[in-house]
Amino acid sequence: MQLSQKQLQIVNHKDGALLVEAGPGSGKTRVLIERIKHLLSSSKRGKVLALTFSNLAADEMKDRLSEDRAFEEQLDRVTAGTIHSFCLDLVQSRGNLIGLNSDMVLFESEDDRKTVLKDVFLENQQLKDFLARQQDKNQIMQRILQLISEQKKRFVLPENCNINAPFPLIYSEYARKLIDQNAMDFDDILFFAYRILTENPSVVRVYNSLYRYICIDEAQDLNFAQYQVIKALCGDSFNNVMMVGDANQSIYGFNGSDSDFMTKFFVSDFSPVIYKLNDNYRSAKRIVEFANHLEHYDSVTNYVYEGELLAIKLADESAEASFVADKIEELIQNGHSDVEGGRYCQKQICFFLFGKRVICS
């Protein structure tokens, strides 16, 4: 896919904060990858930190970078991973700065957390009596773990939470119990990383020197803790931060994510150059219009390709399969005007089957 003029402007953007608001099929991941390549080729010093929200997305980013043989020797200058994996590495390597051990165990499962909480109730008579008075003990413990998680995601310490007693005591004992076992839970990762960065300016300077650029994909899914960690990582002066995302595609609301951290707080805190990508390269106009008609849904998107729609009725599934195979072969041989260079590869051919009798191409 050739880059549009606007996409090229994003790729060639050098220093300073950058926000790319990109709609579905607009090539935002492609633009992010191409910009990373451009940053690597335009400077022989410094690394790029590329952060996203799932291991799958991080692996895809690495794969796309490694596909270009010209950048094989520079891949070690890119650190690509999730925000949590980056913060976990930070905690494990520098946790001693806030009194943590380097070999801390991570309690990821809910069962691990429940076991710690049960020990808290067993070892404190006041809390043991409180739990005994509850009709549904499992439900109250589940609610307490949820509240603890919510407090940690807001970076609220036990002594500062304003929830009614005995929750502050439960929260405090739970945190103490984890430390006594040289362990942390999943929510501690960001909390501890934030503390390390805000309490040790020298660490921030090291990372600002190591990473010349920070790129964040799917930034619409940032939550409070993640955004605060990114701000702390940047310190007072670092602003070579790129955020890419689509406010309409936020999927982690259950985890406190809010697109405002990308569209409002990032804009206010970093004053980025803003680009909007709303051309859809993934879907053809005629096909999407037909799909929207079936679902009684309307989509506001600029479609780059007009596309071709064909609806036919065939005798049976065998006839359908033969038709699809013949059509694919025809497209491979003859190409199509919507494809750059006029030729298809098999990855570029997509058939949508509605029921058993409608084929869109």
Side-chain angles (χ1 to χ4, degrees), residues 161-203:
C161 73
N162 56 5
I163 300 176
N164 293 337
F167 177 76
L169 175 60
I170 297 172
Y171 180 15
S172 177
E173 289 299 298
Y174 174 86
R176 180 191 62 78
K177 192 72 177 174
L178 280 174
I179 294 298
D180 287 348
Q181 296 184 26
N182 197 34
M184 58 181 166
D185 64 21
F186 194 72
D187 296 313
D188 284 325
I189 297 174
L190 296 179
F191 203 167
F192 289 156
Y194 176 78
R195 283 189 54 199
I196 292 169
L197 294 170
T198 54
E199 296 175 20
N200 299 274
S202 60
V203 174

Side-chain angles (χ1 to χ4, degrees), residues 331-351:
L331 290 170
I332 291 175
Q333 294 297 324
N334 301 327
H336 193 281
S337 59
D338 279 344
V339 179
E340 291 177 8
R343 291 288 177 181
Y344 268 84
C345 71
Q346 290 187 1
K347 289 183 180 179
Q348 293 171 310
I349 300 171
C350 183
F351 287 84

